[in-house]
Amino acid sequence: MSTRTHRTRMLVAAALTAATLTLTACNSGEGVQDEGASAGSTPTASTTPSPKASGGTSTGTGQSDSAGLTSEGSTGGAAGSSGTTGSTGSSGSTNSSGSTGSSGSTGSKDSEPTRTPCSPTSTRTTATEVSRPLNHLLLTVTNTGSKNCNLTGYPAVRFGEAQSVPPAFEDSKPQAVVTLAPGESGYASVLLSAADGSGSGGYTAKSLAVHFDKSASAAAHPSLPAKGVHVDDSIRVSYWQSTMADALAW
């Protein structure tokens, strides 16, 4: 055997011996202790809690704790800001247009104007005995004032000492109230007694009081003919009319 070959075998044998020693050391557990010492820094990393698990109370570094609070607060703020979209409900204020209903107040235009009734102090009243129709008296009321006045209903007349007033011919009621401008006149007729003499309780009256309507307290006192007028229980009056012809039709 040559010297070169002998050296080669010696080197191979030395390498096998070193490999055997290494395997033996590993099986004895000494390598495990060495690895455990080198990995001692890893528990520090594992103690760092995640933001969800720590809830901001981590015992690790202050950086990880503040990072968890910042991430949760920012997401909560972002979510809360979305609630501002509810402000769109203010559009309901358009219901205020309902206030236009106040336009109904224009109905006041349809209300009737204040009416001033005629009174004896601003008028002149006459009582005239007529030939046609028979046994009739014509009442004439003339406005002597400066303003319009109205004759409403029918006259309430009292002859002499009579305690009651005669009724009216209801069919003579006009469609509108008689309004007298200054200087204008209104008319009513009085049926004094039955033309055929069929009436009863007749008497002669020489005075007359005329209330322009049943509710009037003041009365006009027109003069009657000197001989007086004959009155019986057939007496009736017409409603106030705007013309003499309409009054004498009853």
Side-chain angles (χ1 to χ4, degrees), residues 130-142:
V130 296
S131 58
R132 292 287 185 274
L134 294 174
N135 302 337
H136 273 68
L137 197 68
L138 177 66
L139 301 178
T140 303
V141 176
T142 303

Side-chain angles (χ1 to χ4, degrees), residues 30-249:
E30 294 176 354
V32 175
Q33 292 178 358
D34 292 340
E35 289 175 359
S38 64
S41 61
T42 58
T44 303
S46 63
T47 58
T48 303
S50 64
K52 295 182 179 178
S54 65
T57 59
S58 171
T59 58
T61 61
Q63 293 178 352
S64 62
D65 184 57
S66 61
L69 291 175
T70 303
S71 61
E72 289 179 356
S74 62
T75 56
S81 63
S82 63
T84 58
T85 57
S87 62
T88 57
S90 61
S91 61
S93 62
T94 56
N95 291 334
S96 61
S97 60
S99 62
T100 56
S102 62
S103 61
S105 62
T106 57
S108 60
K109 294 181 180 179
D110 297 331
S111 61
E112 294 183 358
T114 302
R115 292 176 174 177
T116 302
C118 295
S119 67
T121 58
S122 60
T123 58
R124 181 180 66 255
T125 303
T126 62
T128 306
E129 191 174 19
V130 296
S131 58
R132 292 287 185 274
L134 294 174
N135 302 337
H136 273 68
L137 197 68
L138 177 66
L139 301 178
T140 303
V141 176
T142 303
N143 184 0
T144 58
S146 59
K147 298 180 180 179
N148 292 1
C149 68
N150 298 311
L151 290 173
T152 59
Y154 58 88
V157 298
R158 294 181 185 276
F159 287 91
E161 302 299 325
Q163 298 299 313
S164 62
V165 297
F169 294 104
E170 289 300 326
D171 291 344
S172 67
K173 186 175 182 178
Q175 294 183 352
V177 172
V178 177
T179 299
L180 303 181
E184 291 184 340
S185 299
Y187 308 89
S189 64
V190 181
L191 171 62
L192 297 172
S193 59
D196 58 3
S198 60
S200 60
Y203 64 95
T204 299
K206 294 187 176 182
S207 64
L208 172 62
V210 179
H211 300 265
F212 292 162
D213 61 60
K214 292 187 297 182
S215 62
S217 57
H221 298 272
S223 298
L224 292 176
K227 62 180 179 64
V229 294
H230 181 74
V231 180
D232 64 23
D233 57 9
S234 300
I235 188 171
R236 297 286 189 278
V237 299
S238 74
Y239 277 79
W240 290 111
Q241 310 291 330
S242 58
T243 67
M244 184 185 303
D246 289 340
L248 292 177

